[in-house]
Amino acid sequence: SSSSFPSCLTYLGLIAIPEYLPARTKTIRSPAAPTAAPYPHLMMGQPYGTTMVHDVTMRNPSHRVPTVSRSGPTDDPTPAWQVAFGGSIRAIATRDGDCYVSTGDGGVSSIAADGTPRWRTTTDGIVASAPAVVDDLAFVGSGDEHVYALDAYTGSERWRFEADHSCATSSPAVVGGHLYVAAGDPVANGRVYALDAAYGTERWAFDTGGQLYSSPAAVDGIVFIGTCDPYVYALDARGGGERWAVETDARMTSSPTVVDGTVYIGSAEGSLYALDAASGTTRWVFEANGGIESSPAVVGDTVYVGSNDGHVYAVDAVLGTERWAFAADGPVNTPVIADGTLYVGSSDRHVYALDPGSGAERWSFETSDRIICPPVPADGILYVGDVDGSLYALSDPEAAAD
């Protein structure tokens, strides 16, 4: 239902930050036994299951295909405007100048480029997945065990699909008229669904052996997803049959990024995997010193990933060796690269702009509370949301003054 912005506040618990030790490349070790994971929105500094479009050249068309210029502020930014929500901001997406926001109080909202609220729709569960906005529809999953298709211009419901479990943390992937989404909860094994994007009817479903907090990536007729059993699965996008499954060292709440025939995905044990997309063969494994719940960003020959050890890592995409590491003061979420700048948010209440080549800090901006979702650059503005429910539109000082 549509409503005005509520006044309630959702609070998320803090987590401890392990002491930094140099990361290293490692060989695969015997996987640990899977354990039941609590709802991730109560645990870590990253909205699990969020796969970002990191650059317009990224070969994964399934999540929010860019239709605007992916650029953000280059100098110390200033807020062009700020909007307060009643729940923690869990995910952000943009399309055609509009900003779409998912909040922990079950809301999905649309905000115009000048900060004017357009519409708000509420569900009966937490919404921690990023809306996938395709044509005139915004697709989003909710903790009320439904996937929704909303009119992107009015917020009115076009259809809803009832799943067997919560869809709160899985961002839908929309490719070729099909919508792929995961459903799972702390006490039951997850299920991957393929739906008709126009009508919401089920095409197929695949049952996994563990909980699902990851978002699917659909590339070249294959759907990739990580689970808590702990496996990475490759499924046939047309019929849902299993192509391959690779066992990892810990639960996978990171969402896969697929670039040039390689699947990059992180584990809760701190391992970043590079897998052959066709066969599942492991090419390399890089080890951080804290869980990798964020999704990797791949630009050129470098993989960028945030870790719960408080670092952003730049890793050689071919060799799996560390190029640099940037230290924040809290868990780091999914990095986003646009127009030669790497943007990343942290639970230390800061969003950072880094040089992708060296990791040097260009600027930082402090928000009112922890940042648990990736910032989103578009048309010179960087959209940043925090746990306090504040949405910031950051821009270069000259642009904000205009």
Side-chain angles (χ1 to χ4, degrees), residues 2 18 48 80 91 141 147 161-162 170 177 199 202 248 261 265 280 322 368 402:
S2 297
Y48 294 60
V147 179
F161 172 80
E162 185 175 2
S170 181
Y199 303 103
E202 181 178 324
T248 64
I265 188 170
E322 180 181 317
S368 60
D402 292 340

Side-chain angles (χ1 to χ4, degrees), residues 8-12 41-42 86-88 90 103-106 126 387-389:
C8 61
L9 177 67
T10 301
Y11 179 76
L12 303 174
H41 61 273
L42 299 178
S88 59
R90 310 309 307 276
T103 52
D105 59 1
I126 184 174
V387 167
D388 189 44

Side-chain angles (χ1 to χ4, degrees), residues 51-275:
T51 299
M52 296 297 297
V53 169
H54 307 292
D55 189 85
V56 293
T57 60
M58 179 177 171
R59 293 168 178 80
N60 181 359
S62 60
H63 294 274
R64 300 183 302 285
V65 177
T67 57
V68 295
S69 172
R70 291 287 171 183
S71 62
T74 56
D75 298 323
D76 285 334
T78 186
W81 49 260
Q82 181 178 341
V83 173
F85 290 82
S88 59
I89 295 180
R90 310 309 307 276
I92 304 169
T94 60
R95 207 279 299 268
D96 292 343
D98 289 341
C99 181
Y100 298 85
V101 180
S102 299
T103 52
D105 59 1
V108 182
S109 303
S110 176
I111 307 293
D114 63 358
T116 303
R118 292 192 183 276
W119 54 259
R120 172 179 167 84
T121 296
T122 57
T123 71
D124 292 326
I126 184 174
V127 180
S129 65
V133 186
V134 179
D135 297 328
D136 62 344
L137 293 178
F139 303 95
V140 69
S142 171
D144 65 9
E145 301 187 354
H146 287 86
V147 179
Y148 293 86
L150 307 176
D151 187 292
Y153 302 103
T154 67
S156 60
E157 181 180 312
R158 294 282 192 89
W159 57 255
R160 70 171 68 183
F161 172 80
E162 185 175 2
D164 292 334
H165 308 297
S166 169
C167 301
T169 61
S170 181
S171 301
V174 184
V175 177
H178 292 78
L179 181 149
Y180 305 96
V181 69
D185 60 42
V187 296
N189 291 340
R191 177 173 291 180
V192 182
Y193 291 96
L195 309 179
D196 184 290
Y199 303 103
T201 53
E202 181 178 324
R203 295 289 183 87
W204 54 257
F206 177 85
D207 291 322
T208 68
Q211 298 85 16
L212 273 173
Y213 300 122
S214 175
S215 295
V219 180
D220 296 333
I222 304 177
V223 178
F224 304 92
I225 194 165
T227 72
C228 293
D229 42 3
Y231 280 82
V232 179
Y233 290 93
L235 309 176
D236 181 80
R238 185 177 181 86
E242 182 180 309
R243 293 281 190 92
W244 51 258
V246 173
E247 188 172 13
T248 64
D249 61 356
R251 69 180 187 271
M252 314 292 285
T253 53
S254 167
S255 296
T257 297
V258 186
V259 177
D260 291 339
T262 301
V263 181
Y264 302 93
I265 188 170
S267 81
E269 186 70 16
S271 300
L272 174 64
Y273 289 83
L275 308 175

Side-chain angles (χ1 to χ4, degrees), residues 22-35:
R24 58 190 182 280
T25 304
K26 63 165 186 146
T27 56
I28 303 176
R29 56 182 178 273
S30 299
T35 57

